[in-house]
Amino acid sequence: MRIFTHLNFDFMGKRKTFYVLSAIILLASVISLAFKGVEFGLDFKGGTEVVVRFPRTVEIDELRGWMSTSDLGSIEIKSFGTDTDYIVRTEQKGQGTEISNKIKSILIEHFPDKGIEILQENIVEAKIGSEIRRDAVIAVFFALIGILIYIGFRFKFIFAIGAVIALFHDVLLTLGIVSMVTNLIPGLNLEFDQAMVAAFLTLVGFSINDTVVVFDRVRENLKLSKSSAFEPVLNKSINSTMSRTVLTSTTTFIVMLALLFFGGEPTRGFAFAMTVGVLTGTYSSIFVASALTLDWTKARKAKITF
């Protein structure tokens, strides 16, 4: 299906405008990450988490009032998709099920109707949390190295450099937006947990897929028009793949929006990161990866051939 049959937009001619746009958003992202950071979840901080279901609706302020009388230190309470399911978290760990038993006894003591159901109990040690954080960084790093090698072999090394810089752009920009939005919108609880790490790895895969489609068309057009200049070939390739790019990105974006609004608390962080990531991945495959490749060839007066 082609929704743009005669598209002929000068994408590369507008690249400097979009360089400035990217620089502004990336600067805002770095400032937010430096001064505000992200809110690490239990997976990274360590602590005790109990997911509890009440037989009727309970106000979150009422729950906070009950837990404030405990000696569990800082308590975090969030809804878990419905107004009867809640997550109660504390950074205390204790021995065995000591902390989770305290949480359960406080809830049972204050809830007169009984019938409380414990859905999950999770205890994460701080050491395990730090190992998960280290493994997450290693996973993203090796994913980027693997992509650099693959694109370098399949196309040219400069294509690989452009693609990986675009991926850094996508990850940093998405992480910055997560930092900016955290605790800003009521009901949107964004914690950097294992699901969020999975979202960033998925974002890397989505973004590179879009970039490879454009680069593949560039290689095909360069083989057909060996005497053509590089910039017109890039524009022609992006214009000819735009229908596929828009259809793929739009359908993925709609699915992520549905997951964000209707998927419930457990998948909200994943859905938000991917919703932003679909936009940044589509944008960077056109205005970052391809544009950087063009500027490199112009700076070195190099000619790309296949």
Side-chain angles (χ1 to χ4, degrees):
M1 179 180 177
R2 292 181 65 86
I3 56 176
F4 302 115
T5 52
H6 302 291
L7 186 64
N8 187 25
F9 186 77
D10 182 14
F11 290 100
M12 292 300 99
K14 311 292 182 191
R15 67 187 186 283
K16 290 184 179 174
T17 302
F18 289 96
Y19 281 164
V20 174
L21 177 63
S22 288
I24 292 171
I25 302 175
L26 284 173
L27 180 62
S29 297
V30 170
I31 291 173
S32 180
L33 287 169
F35 290 96
K36 187 178 177 184
V38 294
E39 189 174 315
F40 286 107
L42 190 72
D43 297 335
F44 294 95
K45 292 189 298 188
T48 304
E49 173 186 89
V50 174
V51 180
V52 60
R53 171 172 291 167
F54 295 90
R56 63 170 174 79
T57 300
V58 176
E59 295 296 329
I60 196 166
D61 289 338
E62 189 179 8
L63 269 177
R64 289 197 175 109
W66 298 346
M67 300 307 300
S68 65
T69 61
S70 70
D71 59 350
L72 294 172
S74 176
I75 297 282
E76 180 186 354
I77 302 174
K78 292 180 178 179
S79 65
F80 195 67
T82 71
D83 53 6
T84 58
D85 296 353
Y86 289 94
I87 302 176
V88 182
R89 291 170 175 159
T90 173
E91 293 183 15
Q92 292 188 14
K93 290 175 282 294
Q95 295 292 324
T97 59
E98 177 187 353
I99 301 300
S100 57
N101 286 339
K102 277 188 180 180
I103 293 173
K104 284 188 287 186
S105 64
I106 292 168
L107 294 176
I108 291 171
E109 177 187 344
H110 286 84
F111 196 77
D113 298 340
K114 309 299 179 188
I116 292 177
E117 185 181 355
I118 303 299
L119 302 180
Q120 289 181 31
E121 297 178 54
N122 298 312
I123 301 171
V124 179
E125 297 294 336
K127 182 181 177 185
I128 296 174
S130 64
E131 287 176 357
I132 292 173
R133 187 161 46 212
R134 182 200 62 198
D135 291 346
V137 172
I138 291 173
V140 173
F141 176 76
F142 278 104
L144 292 175
I145 293 296
I147 288 168
L148 181 72
I149 295 171
Y150 169 72
I151 300 293
F153 273 109
R154 183 169 174 182
F155 298 97
K156 301 284 183 184
F157 188 65
I158 182 55
F159 283 64
I161 296 294
V164 170
I165 291 176
L167 290 179
F168 272 114
H169 166 279
D170 297 343
V171 170
L172 184 58
L173 198 150
T174 305
L175 194 58
I177 292 176
V178 168
S179 170
M180 287 184 249
V181 173
T182 297
N183 297 324
L184 193 65
I185 302 174
L188 184 61
N189 303 317
L190 295 177
E191 283 190 344
F192 200 89
D193 53 14
Q194 291 188 67
M196 189 79 85
V197 173
F200 276 91
L201 289 172
T202 309
L203 154 65
V204 168
F206 176 86
S207 179
I208 197 63
N209 182 56
D210 210 33
T211 303
V212 165
V213 168
V214 175
F215 284 174
D216 208 35
R217 188 59 60 89
V218 171
R219 180 175 60 179
E220 182 181 315
N221 287 332
L222 281 173
K223 285 181 179 177
L224 293 173
S225 309
K226 293 184 182 297
S227 59
S228 297
F230 191 44
E231 185 169 347
V233 170
L234 278 174
N235 273 324
K236 181 182 177 183
S237 303
I238 295 170
N239 279 303
S240 63
T241 56
M242 188 53 64
S243 291
R244 179 262 173 206
T245 299
V246 170
L247 286 170
T248 305
S249 299
T250 303
T251 50
T252 309
F253 183 75
I254 291 171
V255 171
M256 288 302 119
L257 272 184
L259 191 61
L260 179 63
F261 287 109
F262 306 112
E265 190 69 28
T267 58
R268 192 149 291 153
F270 176 91
F272 181 83
M274 275 303 298
T275 302
V276 176
V278 168
L279 296 176
T280 58
T282 305
Y283 166 85
S284 71
S285 66
I286 299 170
F287 295 109
V288 179
S290 300
L292 286 175
T293 307
L294 173 62
D295 280 329
W296 183 88
T297 57
K298 283 193 170 186
R300 300 205 168 206
K301 296 183 173 40
K303 183 173 176 60
I304 303 287
T305 55
F306 285 96

